[in-house]
Every structure is written in C-alpha cells, then in structure tokens.
Amino acid sequence: NSFIKELMLFDTVAFSINSLDANVHDKIVGVKGAFKKCVGAYRKLRKIHPKVGINFVIQDSNYLEILDMVSFAEETKASFLDLIYVSIDAFDETVCKDSSLRSFDEQALTSLLEKACKHRIVVESMDYFRLAIARNKFAMRSSCLAPFMSVL
C-alpha cells in the first residue's frame, strides 16, 4: 500500500504489461509471478489515479496479442496504451548478436498495428511503426529490452 501511495505523487504512471498470458509475461520480464503483481497493482491504481496507462513492448512472443491488449486497455479504462517497438539499432552488437533475433510475419504485424492505431487509446501512429519496421528490417528480440532503453 505504501507503493501505491508513492505512485499517487506522479502525474502519469505506466505499467509494463507485455502479455495477457501470465506465463508469457513472466518469461519476458524474467520474474515468475510478475504478471499477477503488475496487473494487480495496475488495476488497484487505475481506480484511484487519474492517469494510469500501459506499456506493451512488441516482441516475437507477444505481437499477436496487440489487439487483445488494446481491448484490455480500453476495458480497464487505461489512460493510454504505449505500443513500444524496440529497434535493435539502438543497441550495440554485443547485445544484439545472439540468436534471440527473430523474423516476424511483416504483413501480420503491420495489419495488427494498423487496426490498433485506429483506437484513440494507442499513443503511436502507423507512420511511426512503418518507419520503425523499415529501419529495423523486421528483426526483433525475443526478450524485453525496455530496461536498457532507460539507460540509453
């Protein structure tokens, strides 16, 4: 409860929910039980804080869930949904040279993103995703790199 009180001090709070499947989310973040705690805190804070949203890092293990995440964000009355496309260009070769890079079905992801971007809750525009996908040649990591983004 003290954690929730501390979060009330911020104008905007975002929770990283990377899958609606607890096993997938926990695997992405590398902490067993993280999904239950994260979603529980999100739901609790959403009821009392005026601006609480969701960050969703797009990866090979969750990109087919994009529209489900849009629905979840809308149903739970999130303030926003930030679909985060992590470009491997942002990282040096030592981080990205391993076999965790995967190829996506570009048409499927593009179609999902086009549908998602039609919802007001989604922060990004389709132009942003087209540029990001083109620059990245459609390879993404299979594990979450969001912690590294705050360092860069």
Side-chain angles (χ1 to χ4, degrees):
N1 285 340
S2 64
F3 176 67
I4 296 294
K5 287 179 184 176
E6 288 178 32
L7 292 176
M8 290 299 294
L9 299 172
F10 294 95
D11 293 336
T12 303
V13 179
F15 286 84
S16 291
I17 303 175
N18 295 308
S19 176
L20 295 175
D21 179 315
N23 292 325
V24 174
H25 175 85
D26 291 356
K27 184 177 179 184
I28 289 170
V29 300
V31 178
K32 190 170 177 87
F35 176 81
K36 185 177 179 181
K37 289 179 181 178
C38 182
V39 172
Y42 162 77
R43 288 181 185 273
K44 189 172 187 176
L45 191 62
R46 184 64 209 115
K47 291 178 184 176
I48 59 174
H49 194 290
K51 194 161 183 187
V52 178
I54 298 170
N55 291 338
F56 181 81
V57 180
I58 301 167
Q59 303 173 57
D60 66 337
S61 59
N62 70 0
Y63 80 100
L64 294 175
E65 294 184 59
I66 291 171
L67 295 179
D68 293 335
M69 188 55 71
V70 170
S71 295
F72 175 78
E74 290 176 337
E75 289 166 11
T76 60
K77 299 184 179 8
S79 300
F80 59 88
L81 174 60
D82 192 359
L83 299 175
I84 302 169
Y85 185 95
V86 180
S87 170
I88 61 171
D89 292 340
F91 304 96
D92 68 26
E93 200 174 296
T94 59
V95 174
C96 296
K97 68 180 180 182
D98 64 24
S99 61
S100 66
L101 294 176
R102 310 270 159 110
S103 294
F104 279 71
D105 176 344
E106 185 171 351
Q107 284 184 312
L109 179 58
T110 301
S111 175
L112 291 167
L113 290 170
E114 285 174 348
K115 291 174 185 173
C117 288
K118 291 179 182 175
H119 293 257
R120 287 183 175 188
I121 200 163
V122 175
V123 175
E124 295 80 15
S125 70
M126 195 56 212
D127 290 337
Y128 160 78
F129 287 117
R130 282 191 188 98
L131 178 62
I133 291 167
R135 287 191 61 208
N136 203 20
K137 295 189 176 75
F138 225 64
M140 296 176 73
R141 294 189 55 89
S142 61
S143 58
C144 179
L145 290 175
F148 295 107
M149 291 302 288
S150 63
V151 175
L152 297 177

